[in-house]
Amino acid sequence: MNPTSPLNIAVLLSGNGSTLQNILDRIDAGTLSARVTCVVASRENVFGLERARNANIPAAAVPRKAFADTASFSAAIWAEVSKHPVDLVVLAGFMSLLNVPDTYRNRIMNVHPALIPAFCGQGMYGHHVHEAVIAYGAKITGVTVHFVDEHYDHGPIILQGPVPVLDGDTADTLAERVQAEERELYPRAIQLFAEGRLSVEGRCVRIG
Ligand code: GAR
């Protein structure tokens, strides 16, 4: 990575792409020194791909259902990503497990809409998370940005932000509050990476 030029980001997504849009908006606003060099989706015809094409970003689908297992799917994803200059891979509502090649160790980030290690793991995504938080009676939830390893929602934690659960919250009202926090925390973590300020010791991320 060259600290004087913007960070090259690959964005991986599976759906609507509001996380991608937020990143593009922050780059346009000049608060995130990065450029999105490619968008790869694990499903065909999702709106996130359209957002990418509207922003003139190379966009491709690598449908998860076309592959028998995580290994072959991951190989196809990394083959697509490696066609472009990439310093950091950003998962933006990407719902499939990936194998992490050594070259991408601590260079893949994910945002999870809860405070890991609570309310996370396989099947815990989007509204399922907020429904589980409300059903459990938790008073605080939040957002976690972390590096990605081979397990769901598991790698070293970069930033966390708390969000209160209010009486009468539904999954929709809670999601709205959590997503507002995501829109602040995720670009902040990416910017820290761009500035070379993140170092990983075991499970712990130090911010320099
Ligand atoms: C985001 O809210 C993100 O927290 C969640 O999916 C949403 C994606 O929205 N990710 C997870 O639940 C990961 N376990 P988007 O498709 O509009 O960007």
Side-chain angles (χ1 to χ4, degrees), residues 136-191:
Y136 200 86
K139 303 290 188 194
I140 304 274
T141 182
V143 173
T144 303
V145 181
H146 65 96
F147 284 120
V148 170
D149 63 12
E150 286 80 4
H151 308 283
Y152 283 105
D153 306 323
H154 181 265
I157 291 169
I158 302 165
L159 293 176
Q160 289 188 302
V163 173
V165 183
L166 304 181
D167 286 350
D169 256 340
T170 62
D172 282 340
T173 59
L174 185 55
E176 215 169 286
R177 212 173 304 118
V178 169
Q179 281 163 6
E181 180 66 14
E182 284 182 30
R183 286 193 290 274
E184 297 305 317
L185 221 60
Y186 212 5
R188 202 184 308 156
I190 297 168
Q191 182 63 26

Side-chain angles (χ1 to χ4, degrees), residues 13-20 51 92-95 110-113 124-126 129-130 153 179 182:
L13 52 78
S14 303
N16 175 48
S18 61
T19 310
L20 166 67
R51 291 185 200 262
F94 186 75
M95 300 307 176
N110 183 43
V111 66
H112 181 72
M124 276 291 184
Y125 58 89
V129 178
H130 308 305
D153 306 323
Q179 281 163 6
E182 284 182 30

Side-chain angles (χ1 to χ4, degrees), residues 10-183:
V11 174
L12 271 48
L13 52 78
S14 303
N16 175 48
S18 61
T19 310
L20 166 67
Q21 192 61 57
N22 180 47
I23 290 167
L24 294 175
D25 292 347
R26 300 293 170 133
I27 292 170
D28 282 349
T31 55
L32 181 56
S33 7
R35 66 187 181 114
V36 179
T37 56
C38 66
V39 170
V40 183
S42 66
R43 291 194 198 124
E44 285 169 306
N45 304 319
V46 291
F47 190 54
L49 284 172
E50 205 172 313
R51 291 185 200 262
R53 292 187 187 114
N54 289 341
N56 294 317
I57 297 165
V62 176
R64 176 64 183 87
K65 63 179 185 199
F67 296 87
D69 52 28
T70 301
S72 55
F73 171 66
S74 301
I77 289 281
W78 299 123
E80 189 59 45
V81 166
S82 65
K83 291 178 186 168
H84 308 273
V86 171
D87 302 310
L88 177 71
V89 177
V90 171
L91 305 193
F94 186 75
M95 300 307 176
S96 299
L97 200 61
L98 275 177
N99 288 347
V100 177
D102 283 345
T103 46
Y104 284 104
R105 179 80 43 200
N106 298 329
R107 290 207 295 136
I108 310 170
M109 275 187 198
N110 183 43
V111 66
H112 181 72
L115 294 175
I116 290 174
F119 304 107
C120 62
Q122 188 165 16
M124 276 291 184
Y125 58 89
H127 268 46
H128 298 295
V129 178
H130 308 305
E131 280 158 10
V133 166
I134 291 167
Y136 200 86
K139 303 290 188 194
I140 304 274
T141 182
V143 173
T144 303
V145 181
H146 65 96
F147 284 120
V148 170
D149 63 12
E150 286 80 4
H151 308 283
Y152 283 105
D153 306 323
H154 181 265
I157 291 169
I158 302 165
L159 293 176
Q160 289 188 302
V163 173
V165 183
L166 304 181
D167 286 350
D169 256 340
T170 62
D172 282 340
T173 59
L174 185 55
E176 215 169 286
R177 212 173 304 118
V178 169
Q179 281 163 6
E181 180 66 14
E182 284 182 30
R183 286 193 290 274

